[in-house]
CSV table of all heavy atoms in Angstrom, one decimal:
chain,number,residue,atom,x,y,z
A,15,LYS,N,40.7,-44.0,-42.9
A,15,LYS,CA,41.6,-44.5,-43.9
A,15,LYS,C,43.0,-44.8,-43.3
A,15,LYS,O,43.5,-44.1,-42.5
A,15,LYS,CB,41.8,-43.4,-44.9
A,15,LYS,CG,42.4,-43.8,-46.2
A,15,LYS,CD,42.4,-42.7,-47.3
A,15,LYS,CE,40.9,-42.3,-47.6
A,15,LYS,NZ,40.8,-41.2,-48.6
A,16,GLY,N,43.5,-46.0,-43.6
A,16,GLY,CA,44.7,-46.5,-43.1
A,16,GLY,C,44.5,-47.3,-41.8
A,16,GLY,O,45.5,-48.0,-41.4
A,17,ARG,N,43.4,-47.3,-41.2
A,17,ARG,CA,43.1,-48.0,-40.0
A,17,ARG,C,42.0,-49.1,-40.2
A,17,ARG,O,42.1,-50.2,-39.6
A,17,ARG,CB,42.6,-47.1,-38.8
A,17,ARG,CG,43.6,-46.1,-38.4
A,17,ARG,CD,43.1,-45.4,-37.1
A,17,ARG,NE,41.9,-44.7,-37.3
A,17,ARG,CZ,40.8,-44.9,-36.6
A,17,ARG,NH1,40.7,-45.8,-35.7
A,17,ARG,NH2,39.7,-44.2,-36.9
A,18,PHE,N,41.0,-48.8,-41.0
A,18,PHE,CA,39.9,-49.8,-41.3
A,18,PHE,C,40.1,-50.3,-42.7
A,18,PHE,O,40.5,-49.6,-43.6
A,18,PHE,CB,38.6,-49.1,-41.2
A,18,PHE,CG,38.2,-48.7,-39.8
A,18,PHE,CD1,39.0,-48.7,-38.7
A,18,PHE,CD2,36.9,-48.3,-39.5
A,18,PHE,CE1,38.7,-48.3,-37.4
A,18,PHE,CE2,36.4,-47.9,-38.3
A,18,PHE,CZ,37.3,-47.9,-37.2
A,19,PHE,N,39.7,-51.6,-42.8
A,19,PHE,CA,39.8,-52.2,-44.1
A,19,PHE,C,38.6,-53.1,-44.4
A,19,PHE,O,38.1,-53.8,-43.5
A,19,PHE,CB,41.1,-53.1,-44.2
A,19,PHE,CG,42.3,-52.3,-44.0
A,19,PHE,CD1,42.9,-52.2,-42.7
A,19,PHE,CD2,43.0,-51.7,-45.0
A,19,PHE,CE1,44.0,-51.5,-42.5
A,19,PHE,CE2,44.1,-51.0,-44.8
A,19,PHE,CZ,44.7,-50.9,-43.6
A,20,ILE,N,38.0,-53.0,-45.6
A,20,ILE,CA,36.9,-53.8,-46.0
A,20,ILE,C,37.3,-54.9,-46.9
A,20,ILE,O,38.1,-54.6,-47.9
A,20,ILE,CB,35.8,-52.9,-46.6
A,20,ILE,CG1,35.2,-51.9,-45.6
A,20,ILE,CG2,34.7,-53.8,-47.2
A,20,ILE,CD1,34.3,-50.9,-46.2
A,21,PHE,N,36.8,-56.1,-46.7
A,21,PHE,CA,37.0,-57.2,-47.7
A,21,PHE,C,35.8,-58.1,-47.6
A,21,PHE,O,35.0,-58.0,-46.8
A,21,PHE,CB,38.4,-57.9,-47.4
A,21,PHE,CG,38.5,-58.6,-46.0
A,21,PHE,CD1,38.2,-59.9,-45.9
A,21,PHE,CD2,38.9,-57.8,-44.9
A,21,PHE,CE1,38.3,-60.5,-44.6
A,21,PHE,CE2,39.0,-58.4,-43.7
A,21,PHE,CZ,38.7,-59.8,-43.5
A,22,ARG,N,35.8,-59.0,-48.6
A,22,ARG,CA,34.6,-59.8,-48.7
A,22,ARG,C,35.0,-61.3,-49.0
A,22,ARG,O,36.0,-61.6,-49.6
A,22,ARG,CB,33.7,-59.4,-49.8
A,22,ARG,CG,34.2,-59.7,-51.3
A,22,ARG,CD,33.8,-58.7,-52.3
A,22,ARG,NE,33.9,-59.1,-53.7
A,22,ARG,CZ,35.0,-59.2,-54.3
A,22,ARG,NH1,36.2,-58.9,-53.7
A,22,ARG,NH2,35.0,-59.6,-55.6
A,23,ASP,N,34.1,-62.2,-48.6
A,23,ASP,CA,34.2,-63.6,-49.0
A,23,ASP,C,33.1,-63.7,-50.0
A,23,ASP,O,31.9,-63.9,-49.6
A,23,ASP,CB,34.0,-64.5,-47.8
A,23,ASP,CG,34.1,-66.0,-48.1
A,23,ASP,OD1,33.9,-66.3,-49.3
A,23,ASP,OD2,34.5,-66.8,-47.2
A,24,TYR,N,33.4,-63.7,-51.3
A,24,TYR,CA,32.5,-63.6,-52.3
A,24,TYR,C,31.6,-64.8,-52.3
A,24,TYR,O,30.3,-64.7,-52.5
A,24,TYR,CB,33.2,-63.5,-53.7
A,24,TYR,CG,32.3,-63.3,-54.9
A,24,TYR,CD1,31.8,-62.0,-55.2
A,24,TYR,CD2,31.8,-64.3,-55.6
A,24,TYR,CE1,31.0,-61.8,-56.3
A,24,TYR,CE2,31.0,-64.1,-56.7
A,24,TYR,CZ,30.6,-62.9,-57.1
A,24,TYR,OH,29.8,-62.7,-58.1
A,25,ALA,N,32.1,-66.0,-52.1
A,25,ALA,CA,31.4,-67.3,-52.2
A,25,ALA,C,30.4,-67.4,-51.1
A,25,ALA,O,29.3,-68.0,-51.2
A,25,ALA,CB,32.3,-68.5,-52.2
A,26,ARG,N,30.6,-66.8,-49.9
A,26,ARG,CA,29.8,-66.9,-48.8
A,26,ARG,C,28.9,-65.6,-48.6
A,26,ARG,O,28.2,-65.5,-47.6
A,26,ARG,CB,30.6,-67.1,-47.5
A,26,ARG,CG,31.4,-68.4,-47.6
A,26,ARG,CD,32.2,-68.6,-46.3
A,26,ARG,NE,31.3,-69.1,-45.3
A,26,ARG,CZ,31.0,-70.4,-45.1
A,26,ARG,NH1,31.6,-71.4,-45.8
A,26,ARG,NH2,30.2,-70.8,-44.1
A,27,ASN,N,29.0,-64.7,-49.5
A,27,ASN,CA,28.1,-63.5,-49.4
A,27,ASN,C,28.3,-62.7,-48.1
A,27,ASN,O,27.4,-62.3,-47.4
A,27,ASN,CB,26.7,-63.8,-49.6
A,27,ASN,CG,26.2,-63.4,-51.0
A,27,ASN,OD1,26.9,-63.2,-51.9
A,27,ASN,ND2,24.9,-63.2,-51.1
A,28,THR,N,29.6,-62.6,-47.7
A,28,THR,CA,29.9,-62.0,-46.4
A,28,THR,C,30.9,-60.9,-46.6
A,28,THR,O,31.9,-61.1,-47.2
A,28,THR,CB,30.4,-63.1,-45.4
A,28,THR,OG1,29.5,-64.1,-45.2
A,28,THR,CG2,30.7,-62.4,-44.0
A,29,MET,N,30.6,-59.8,-46.0
A,29,MET,CA,31.5,-58.6,-46.0
A,29,MET,C,32.1,-58.4,-44.6
A,29,MET,O,31.4,-58.6,-43.6
A,29,MET,CB,30.8,-57.4,-46.4
A,29,MET,CG,31.6,-56.1,-46.4
A,29,MET,SD,30.7,-54.6,-47.0
A,29,MET,CE,29.4,-54.5,-45.8
A,30,TYR,N,33.3,-58.0,-44.5
A,30,TYR,CA,34.0,-57.8,-43.2
A,30,TYR,C,34.5,-56.3,-43.1
A,30,TYR,O,34.9,-55.7,-44.1
A,30,TYR,CB,35.2,-58.7,-43.1
A,30,TYR,CG,34.8,-60.2,-43.2
A,30,TYR,CD1,34.8,-60.8,-44.4
A,30,TYR,CD2,34.4,-60.9,-42.0
A,30,TYR,CE1,34.5,-62.2,-44.5
A,30,TYR,CE2,34.0,-62.2,-42.1
A,30,TYR,CZ,34.1,-62.8,-43.3
A,30,TYR,OH,33.7,-64.2,-43.4
A,31,LEU,N,34.6,-55.8,-41.9
A,31,LEU,CA,35.2,-54.6,-41.6
A,31,LEU,C,36.3,-54.9,-40.5
A,31,LEU,O,35.9,-55.1,-39.4
A,31,LEU,CB,34.2,-53.5,-41.1
A,31,LEU,CG,34.8,-52.2,-40.7
A,31,LEU,CD1,35.4,-51.5,-41.9
A,31,LEU,CD2,33.7,-51.3,-40.0
A,32,GLN,N,37.5,-54.8,-40.9
A,32,GLN,CA,38.6,-55.0,-40.0
A,32,GLN,C,39.0,-53.6,-39.5
A,32,GLN,O,39.4,-52.7,-40.2
A,32,GLN,CB,39.8,-55.6,-40.7
A,32,GLN,CG,41.1,-55.8,-39.8
A,32,GLN,CD,40.8,-56.8,-38.7
A,32,GLN,OE1,40.3,-57.8,-38.9
A,32,GLN,NE2,41.2,-56.4,-37.5
A,33,MET,N,38.9,-53.4,-38.2
A,33,MET,CA,39.2,-52.1,-37.5
A,33,MET,C,40.4,-52.3,-36.7
A,33,MET,O,40.5,-53.1,-35.7
A,33,MET,CB,38.0,-51.7,-36.7
A,33,MET,CG,36.7,-51.6,-37.5
A,33,MET,SD,35.3,-51.0,-36.4
A,33,MET,CE,35.1,-52.4,-35.3
A,34,ASN,N,41.4,-51.4,-36.9
A,34,ASN,CA,42.7,-51.4,-36.2
A,34,ASN,C,42.9,-50.1,-35.6
A,34,ASN,O,42.4,-49.1,-36.0
A,34,ASN,CB,43.8,-51.8,-37.1
A,34,ASN,CG,43.7,-53.1,-37.8
A,34,ASN,OD1,43.3,-54.1,-37.2
A,34,ASN,ND2,44.0,-53.2,-39.1
A,35,ARG,N,43.8,-50.1,-34.6
A,35,ARG,CA,44.1,-48.8,-33.9
A,35,ARG,C,42.9,-48.0,-33.5
A,35,ARG,O,42.8,-46.8,-33.8
A,35,ARG,CB,45.1,-48.0,-34.7
A,35,ARG,CG,46.4,-48.8,-35.1
A,35,ARG,CD,47.5,-48.0,-35.5
A,35,ARG,NE,47.2,-46.9,-36.4
A,35,ARG,CZ,47.1,-47.0,-37.7
A,35,ARG,NH1,47.3,-48.2,-38.3
A,35,ARG,NH2,46.8,-46.0,-38.5
A,36,LEU,N,42.0,-48.7,-32.9
A,36,LEU,CA,40.7,-48.1,-32.5
A,36,LEU,C,40.9,-46.9,-31.6
A,36,LEU,O,41.7,-47.0,-30.7
A,36,LEU,CB,39.7,-49.1,-32.0
A,36,LEU,CG,39.1,-50.0,-33.0
A,36,LEU,CD1,38.6,-51.3,-32.4
A,36,LEU,CD2,38.0,-49.3,-33.7
A,37,LYS,N,40.0,-45.9,-31.7
A,37,LYS,CA,40.0,-44.7,-30.9
A,37,LYS,C,38.6,-44.6,-30.2
A,37,LYS,O,37.6,-45.1,-30.7
A,37,LYS,CB,40.3,-43.5,-31.7
A,37,LYS,CG,41.5,-43.5,-32.6
A,37,LYS,CD,41.6,-42.3,-33.5
A,37,LYS,CE,42.8,-42.4,-34.4
A,37,LYS,NZ,42.9,-41.2,-35.3
A,38,PRO,N,38.6,-43.9,-29.1
A,38,PRO,CA,37.3,-43.7,-28.4
A,38,PRO,C,36.2,-43.1,-29.3
A,38,PRO,O,35.0,-43.4,-29.2
A,38,PRO,CB,37.6,-42.8,-27.2
A,38,PRO,CG,39.0,-43.2,-26.9
A,38,PRO,CD,39.7,-43.4,-28.2
A,39,GLU,N,36.6,-42.2,-30.2
A,39,GLU,CA,35.7,-41.6,-31.2
A,39,GLU,C,35.2,-42.5,-32.2
A,39,GLU,O,34.2,-42.2,-33.0
A,39,GLU,CB,36.3,-40.3,-31.8
A,39,GLU,CG,37.7,-40.6,-32.5
A,39,GLU,CD,38.8,-40.2,-31.6
A,39,GLU,OE1,38.8,-40.5,-30.4
A,39,GLU,OE2,39.8,-39.6,-32.1
A,40,ASP,N,35.7,-43.8,-32.3
A,40,ASP,CA,35.1,-44.8,-33.2
A,40,ASP,C,33.9,-45.4,-32.6
A,40,ASP,O,33.2,-46.2,-33.2
A,40,ASP,CB,36.2,-45.8,-33.5
A,40,ASP,CG,37.3,-45.3,-34.3
A,40,ASP,OD1,37.1,-44.5,-35.2
A,40,ASP,OD2,38.5,-45.7,-34.1
A,41,THR,N,33.6,-45.2,-31.3
A,41,THR,CA,32.5,-45.8,-30.6
A,41,THR,C,31.2,-45.4,-31.4
A,41,THR,O,30.9,-44.2,-31.5
A,41,THR,CB,32.4,-45.3,-29.2
A,41,THR,OG1,33.5,-45.8,-28.4
A,41,THR,CG2,31.1,-45.8,-28.5
A,42,SER,N,30.5,-46.4,-31.8
A,42,SER,CA,29.3,-46.2,-32.7
A,42,SER,C,28.5,-47.5,-32.8
A,42,SER,O,29.1,-48.6,-32.6
A,42,SER,CB,29.6,-45.7,-34.1
A,42,SER,OG,30.2,-44.4,-34.1
A,43,VAL,N,27.3,-47.4,-33.2
A,43,VAL,CA,26.6,-48.6,-33.8
A,43,VAL,C,27.0,-48.6,-35.3
A,43,VAL,O,26.9,-47.6,-36.0
A,43,VAL,CB,25.1,-48.5,-33.7
A,43,VAL,CG1,24.4,-49.6,-34.4
A,43,VAL,CG2,24.7,-48.4,-32.2
A,44,TYR,N,27.5,-49.8,-35.7
A,44,TYR,CA,28.0,-49.9,-37.1
A,44,TYR,C,26.9,-50.7,-37.9
A,44,TYR,O,26.4,-51.8,-37.4
A,44,TYR,CB,29.3,-50.7,-37.1
A,44,TYR,CG,30.5,-49.8,-36.7
A,44,TYR,CD1,30.7,-49.4,-35.4
A,44,TYR,CD2,31.3,-49.3,-37.7
A,44,TYR,CE1,31.7,-48.6,-35.0
A,44,TYR,CE2,32.4,-48.5,-37.3
A,44,TYR,CZ,32.6,-48.1,-36.0
A,44,TYR,OH,33.6,-47.3,-35.7
A,45,TYR,N,26.6,-50.2,-39.0
A,45,TYR,CA,25.5,-50.7,-39.9
A,45,TYR,C,26.1,-51.2,-41.2
A,45,TYR,O,26.9,-50.5,-41.8
A,45,TYR,CB,24.4,-49.7,-40.1
A,45,TYR,CG,23.7,-49.2,-38.9
A,45,TYR,CD1,24.1,-48.1,-38.2
A,45,TYR,CD2,22.5,-49.9,-38.5
A,45,TYR,CE1,23.5,-47.7,-37.1
A,45,TYR,CE2,21.9,-49.4,-37.4
A,45,TYR,CZ,22.3,-48.3,-36.7
A,45,TYR,OH,21.6,-47.9,-35.6
A,46,CYS,N,25.6,-52.3,-41.7
A,46,CYS,CA,25.8,-52.8,-43.0
A,46,CYS,C,24.8,-52.3,-43.9
A,46,CYS,O,23.6,-52.2,-43.5
A,46,CYS,CB,25.9,-54.4,-43.0
A,46,CYS,SG,26.2,-55.2,-44.5
A,47,ALA,N,25.1,-52.0,-45.2
A,47,ALA,CA,24.2,-51.4,-46.1
A,47,ALA,C,24.5,-51.9,-47.5
A,47,ALA,O,25.7,-52.2,-47.8
A,47,ALA,CB,24.2,-49.9,-46.1
A,48,ALA,N,23.5,-51.9,-48.4
A,48,ALA,CA,23.7,-52.3,-49.8
A,48,ALA,C,22.8,-51.4,-50.7
A,48,ALA,O,21.7,-51.1,-50.3
A,48,ALA,CB,23.2,-53.8,-50.0
A,49,GLN,N,23.4,-51.0,-51.8
A,49,GLN,CA,22.7,-50.2,-52.7
A,49,GLN,C,23.1,-50.6,-54.2
A,49,GLN,O,24.2,-50.8,-54.5
A,49,GLN,CB,23.1,-48.7,-52.5
A,49,GLN,CG,22.4,-47.7,-53.4
A,49,GLN,CD,22.7,-46.3,-53.1
A,49,GLN,OE1,23.0,-46.0,-51.9
A,49,GLN,NE2,22.7,-45.4,-54.1
A,50,ARG,N,22.1,-50.7,-55.0
A,50,ARG,CA,22.3,-51.0,-56.4
A,50,ARG,C,23.0,-49.9,-57.1
A,50,ARG,O,22.7,-48.7,-56.9
A,50,ARG,CB,21.0,-51.3,-57.1
A,50,ARG,CG,21.1,-51.8,-58.5
A,50,ARG,CD,19.7,-52.1,-59.1
A,50,ARG,NE,19.8,-52.6,-60.5
A,50,ARG,CZ,18.8,-52.9,-61.3
A,50,ARG,NH1,17.6,-52.8,-60.8
A,50,ARG,NH2,19.0,-53.3,-62.5
A,51,GLY,N,24.1,-50.3,-57.8
A,51,GLY,CA,24.9,-49.3,-58.5
A,51,GLY,C,26.3,-49.2,-58.0
A,51,GLY,O,26.8,-50.1,-57.3
A,52,LEU,N,27.0,-48.1,-58.4
A,52,LEU,CA,28.4,-48.0,-58.1
A,52,LEU,C,28.7,-47.3,-56.8
A,52,LEU,O,29.9,-47.4,-56.3
A,52,LEU,CB,29.1,-47.3,-59.2
A,52,LEU,CG,29.0,-47.9,-60.6
A,52,LEU,CD1,29.7,-47.1,-61.6
A,52,LEU,CD2,29.6,-49.3,-60.6
A,53,ILE,N,27.7,-46.6,-56.2
A,53,ILE,CA,28.0,-45.8,-55.0
A,53,ILE,C,26.9,-46.1,-54.0
A,53,ILE,O,25.9,-46.6,-54.3
A,53,ILE,CB,28.0,-44.3,-55.3
A,53,ILE,CG1,26.7,-43.8,-55.9
A,53,ILE,CG2,29.2,-43.9,-56.3
A,53,ILE,CD1,26.5,-42.3,-56.0
A,54,VAL,N,27.2,-45.7,-52.7
A,54,VAL,CA,26.3,-45.8,-51.6
A,54,VAL,C,26.2,-44.5,-50.9
A,54,VAL,O,27.2,-43.9,-50.5
A,54,VAL,CB,26.7,-46.9,-50.6
A,54,VAL,CG1,25.7,-47.0,-49.5
A,54,VAL,CG2,26.9,-48.2,-51.3
A,55,VAL,N,24.9,-44.0,-50.8
A,55,VAL,CA,24.7,-42.7,-50.1
A,55,VAL,C,23.6,-43.0,-49.1
A,55,VAL,O,22.7,-43.8,-49.3
A,55,VAL,CB,24.4,-41.5,-51.0
A,55,VAL,CG1,25.6,-41.2,-51.9
A,55,VAL,CG2,23.2,-41.8,-51.8
A,56,LEU,N,23.6,-42.3,-48.0
A,56,LEU,CA,22.6,-42.5,-46.9
A,56,LEU,C,21.2,-42.5,-47.3
A,56,LEU,O,20.4,-43.4,-46.9
A,56,LEU,CB,22.8,-41.4,-45.8
A,56,LEU,CG,23.4,-41.8,-44.5
A,56,LEU,CD1,23.5,-40.6,-43.6
A,56,LEU,CD2,22.6,-42.9,-43.8
A,57,THR,N,20.8,-41.6,-48.2
A,57,THR,CA,19.4,-41.4,-48.5
A,57,THR,C,18.9,-42.4,-49.6
A,57,THR,O,17.7,-42.4,-49.9
A,57,THR,CB,19.1,-40.0,-49.0
A,57,THR,OG1,20.0,-39.7,-50.1
A,57,THR,CG2,19.4,-39.0,-47.8
A,58,SER,N,19.8,-43.2,-50.2
A,58,SER,CA,19.5,-44.1,-51.3
A,58,SER,C,19.8,-45.5,-51.0
A,58,SER,O,19.7,-46.3,-51.9
A,58,SER,CB,20.2,-43.6,-52.6
A,58,SER,OG,19.8,-42.3,-52.9
A,59,VAL,N,20.1,-45.9,-49.8
A,59,VAL,CA,20.4,-47.3,-49.4
A,59,VAL,C,19.2,-48.1,-49.7
A,59,VAL,O,18.1,-47.8,-49.2
A,59,VAL,CB,20.9,-47.4,-48.0
A,59,VAL,CG1,20.9,-48.8,-47.5
A,59,VAL,CG2,22.3,-46.7,-47.9
């Protein structure tokens, strides 16, 4: 929170993750996910 920001290009069906002030602990494989409804949880993607 305060470092990463999500936004979308609605017309192009593209989502972005802007990552700022990156830290070594941010090192990861980053995955995009979609879930029908209002929330997203690991087991229901």
Side-chain angles (χ1 to χ4, degrees):
K15 198 171 297 181
R17 298 189 298 124
F18 291 12
F19 302 92
I20 294 172
F21 60 98
R22 77 212 195 283
D23 185 334
Y24 186 87
R26 302 183 75 89
N27 256 19
T28 302
M29 177 176 64
Y30 302 92
L31 178 65
Q32 178 66 45
M33 303 183 292
N34 301 317
R35 308 200 310 277
L36 282 160
K37 305 173 181 179
E39 52 262 44
D40 294 320
T41 295
S42 294
V43 176
Y44 284 74
Y45 297 90
C46 181
Q49 184 174 328
R50 185 178 180 181
L52 300 178
I53 61 170
V54 181
V55 296
L56 251 178
T57 56
S58 299
V59 168

